[in-house]
Structures are given as C-alpha cells and as structure tokens.
Amino acid sequence: MEIKKSAVVGTLESSDIMITLNPSDAGRIDIQLESSVEKQFGAQIRRVIEDTLTRLGIQSAQVVAVDKGALDCTIQARTITVAHRAAELSEYNWKEIDSWNA
C-alpha cells in the first residue's frame, strides 16, 4: 500500500486515539507518540501501530499519534482506517484483516 497524501482519523476523546499519517521517503515507519500513559504502554502502542502498518504493506511513513487511553483494538482500527484514507483506497479486505487476530 502506498501513502499518497496526509490523512487523519480519530478524536481526542477519552479512550480514543488521533492518528495522523503522512508520506515519507525515509524508508522506515517513524512514530511520534503523545500519551498520558506512555511510560506504561508507549512501547505497546507503537508496536500495534507499526505492526498494523507493516501488515498493510506500508514500509515508509510518518505517524503522529495522540493517545487518550485507547485499547489495542481501537488503535489497530484507527491505524487501518488512516492508512486506507492516506492511500486513497475505499475498499477493505476485511477477511484478511480479521485473520490477523485469529
């Protein structure tokens, strides 16, 4: 999947996460995270975002995430959505995505 434009998803409400995804030529996924629970869960939040983008075939992107206590499933869903928006795709292969958590 190729990131074609910047995209944003999510809110700053409690138990949610706002993720901004930008194109990058760095050849890696760079994640900037702001979270009140970063000391306890920062590594896990980054891992969910990076693993999700990697499974979608994204190898280079700049991510800005503002977490308000989102669960892993919310982080994954927001990451999938922002990736599709940034790649300008309107169809999801839910069977493939659903199998990730099986």
Side-chain angles (χ1 to χ4, degrees), residues 79-90:
T79 304
I80 291 167
T81 302
V82 78
H84 280 79
R85 285 183 185 174
E88 298 182 329
L89 298 176
S90 59

Side-chain angles (χ1 to χ4, degrees), residues 24-88:
S24 173
D25 294 326
R28 64 183 179 276
I29 297 171
D30 292 317
I31 301 172
Q32 177 184 340
L33 175 64
E34 178 185 321
S35 175
S36 59
V37 294
E38 186 166 359
K39 287 184 180 180
Q40 298 95 332
F41 301 108
Q44 176 64 15
I45 295 166
R46 285 182 177 84
R47 187 175 312 114
V48 171
I49 293 170
E50 186 166 0
D51 288 352
T52 302
L53 292 175
T54 300
R55 285 181 168 193
L56 291 170
I58 297 170
Q59 299 171 354
S60 185
Q62 179 191 28
V63 180
V64 178
V66 181
D67 173 60
K68 297 295 182 178
L71 298 174
D72 287 357
C73 58
T74 303
I75 298 166
Q76 185 181 56
R78 294 295 194 196
T79 304
I80 291 167
T81 302
V82 78
H84 280 79
R85 285 183 185 174
E88 298 182 329

